[in-house]
Amino acid sequence: TYDRMWQEAMAELNEQVHIEDDTLDLEEGEEPPPKVQVTAMEAFQHYACLYIKYLQIFKKLEECYDGMVHPQKRIDVKLVLESVMARVVEL
C-alpha cells in the first residue's frame, strides 16, 4: 500500500540524514569525530551516491503522493517531497 511505501521512504530518508550528519547520533557533550581529508574523486563518489539515493527516495514519495487519497496525508507527503527536491538541487 501507499502507507507502507511512505513509511519505507521516510525510513530511507532518515537513514540518509544520519549518513550525511554523523553528529546526530552523538550524546550531549560528546565530541564529534575529526574531519578527514578526502580527494576530489572520493567527494565526487560520495555526492553521486547521495544524489542517486535521494532520487530513489523522491520517486518513491512521488508515487505515494500520486496514489494517496487522504488529503491530510497528501499534504505531509508533499512537504517531504518538496524537501527532498530541495536537497537534490543542493547536491
Side-chain angles (χ1 to χ4, degrees):
T1 65
Y2 293 111
D3 285 335
R4 188 176 312 135
M5 192 182 301
W6 182 26
Q7 289 174 347
E8 289 172 5
M10 292 304 293
E12 290 174 14
L13 186 59
N14 187 32
E15 183 179 320
Q16 278 304 111
V17 168
H18 282 276
I19 288 171
E20 286 187 63
D21 187 3
D22 54 357
T23 61
L24 293 175
D25 293 329
L26 297 178
E27 297 291 325
E28 190 172 321
E30 192 176 345
E31 291 293 318
K35 298 288 183 187
V36 178
Q37 290 290 343
V38 295
T39 65
M41 190 60 175
E42 290 172 337
F44 175 78
Q45 288 288 330
H46 174 72
Y47 285 107
C49 289
L50 289 178
Y51 181 79
I52 291 168
K53 190 64 178 172
Y54 274 112
L55 282 182
Q56 291 170 343
I57 292 169
F58 172 80
K59 286 181 182 181
K60 196 175 280 192
L61 286 169
E62 184 181 36
E63 189 175 337
C64 291
Y65 182 76
D66 288 341
M68 277 201 177
V69 179
H70 303 291
Q72 296 89 350
K73 288 182 182 179
R74 282 178 60 94
I75 291 170
D76 291 339
V77 173
K78 184 178 179 185
L79 287 173
V80 176
L81 194 56
E82 289 172 350
S83 298
V84 170
M85 285 188 287
R87 184 64 184 130
V88 168
V89 169
E90 288 175 0
L91 291 175

